[in-house]
Amino acid sequence: MRRQLAAMPNELYLVRLIHAVTKSCCPGERLWTASLLTHGATVRFLRARNSDGFDVYLYPYADRGNSGYILVDLDGPQPQIIPTLRAQGHEPCVVVQTSPGHLQAWIRVSTE
């Protein structure tokens, strides 16, 4: 989580907890700063929810605006998808393997 926060600097983040089997969201949404997200109690809470079967998603938050990042879902990608993105000038700042064969990439874009 620290590496993702460092690679995607933002003032606030939205954390969503989605159950891997039922696809239901954990009730309640809260905005977090990077320092709150890396606080020991918060990390323990998120790990406990993950152990309960919830996937933890971290999004840069910008209210109704553009945070400057887009999430690209690369489920079942071709083996060369990341090098292809880079060759086209779309350098991912974070690549997350959500499960075997399933990737998500965060790409920095203009906030305008």
Side-chain angles (χ1 to χ4, degrees):
M1 188 165 49
R2 288 182 197 275
R3 288 184 297 197
Q4 183 173 356
L5 293 170
M8 299 171 56
N10 203 55
E11 185 176 336
L12 294 171
Y13 299 88
L14 176 65
V15 174
R16 296 192 69 209
L17 303 173
I18 301 175
H19 198 271
V21 175
T22 66
K23 305 298 182 206
S24 62
C25 293
C26 191
E29 289 186 348
R30 181 175 166 190
L31 298 176
W32 303 78
T33 63
S35 63
L36 282 174
L37 279 170
T38 56
H39 189 266
T42 305
V43 173
R44 286 189 296 278
F45 169 79
L46 293 174
R47 284 182 177 163
R49 297 298 71 75
N50 188 244
S51 294
D52 292 340
F54 286 90
D55 295 328
V56 179
Y57 295 91
L58 175 70
Y59 299 88
Y61 180 80
D63 193 26
R64 290 183 174 90
N66 175 356
S67 67
Y69 300 92
I70 60 169
L71 178 64
V72 180
D73 198 358
L74 304 171
D75 283 350
Q78 302 164 351
Q80 294 299 313
I81 191 67
I82 300 298
T84 300
L85 283 170
R86 288 182 174 133
Q88 294 176 356
H90 305 295
E91 179 70 34
C93 48
V94 175
V95 176
V96 179
Q97 182 174 347
T98 57
S99 61
H102 299 274
L103 300 175
Q104 292 181 334
W106 284 98
I107 299 174
R108 177 87 170 136
V109 296
S110 171
T111 56
E112 299 170 8

